Amino acid sequence: MNCAYLCIGSNRNKEVNIKRAEEMLRARFASIRFSPLMETEAIGCPGAERYLNQMAVCYCEEPLDEVQVTLKRMEWEIGRRPTDNATGRMPIDIDLIQWNDQPLKPADLQRSYVKEGLRYL
C-alpha cells in the first residue's frame, strides 16, 4: 500500500475548483483525508490573486507514475492549461509532494501552510 501526500491549490474560481478537485479525488481514492482550507499568498508570481490551499493524504495500490498521470488528468478536466503558470491564474494545482517516505517536492514540504496542513492530517 502506498501513501501519497497532496497539496491542492487554486486562485481562480477557488471554492468551486477546490470542491471539484475534492470530489474527483474522493471518487478515485476511497481512503483520502483533507485538511481544512487555508488562504495563502501567491508564491513566485507577484500580483497574482491569493490562493486557497488544502493538503490531503491518501492510500492506494497503484504505482507512482499511474497516480501522477491521474492527478494531471484531473487538473486538465478542471481546466488547468500549460500557460497557467505564466499568467499567475491557476484554476487548480494538485501536487504530489511526497510518496511514501520519499519527498518529491522538498521545498514545498518546508512551506508553512503545507506544514500546518500536514499536522492536521
Side-chain angles (χ1 to χ4, degrees), residues 48-80:
E49 290 182 45
R50 292 175 60 87
Y51 273 76
L52 201 54
N53 290 103
Q54 184 174 49
M55 297 299 301
V57 61
C58 63
Y59 299 89
C60 63
E61 294 190 21
E62 295 79 12
L64 174 60
D65 58 338
E66 187 176 318
V67 172
Q68 289 172 318
V69 167
T70 297
L71 298 176
K72 291 303 171 196
R73 188 175 303 123
M74 288 179 184
E75 288 179 336
W76 183 265
E77 287 180 30
I78 295 172
R80 178 146 182 200

Side-chain angles (χ1 to χ4, degrees), residues 4-66:
Y5 289 93
L6 310 174
C7 184
I8 305 157
S10 175
N11 75 348
R12 192 171 82 197
N13 204 10
K14 300 177 232 192
E15 291 83 7
V16 170
N17 288 334
I18 292 281
K19 183 171 178 48
R20 187 158 177 222
E22 282 180 7
E23 291 168 356
M24 293 173 83
L25 288 163
R26 276 192 180 98
R28 179 63 179 78
F29 303 105
S31 65
I32 195 163
R33 290 182 299 143
F34 295 93
S35 73
L37 294 168
M38 300 165 270
E39 192 171 74
T40 64
E41 294 293 329
I43 296 173
C45 216
E49 290 182 45
R50 292 175 60 87
Y51 273 76
L52 201 54
N53 290 103
Q54 184 174 49
M55 297 299 301
V57 61
C58 63
Y59 299 89
C60 63
E61 294 190 21
E62 295 79 12
L64 174 60
D65 58 338
E66 187 176 318

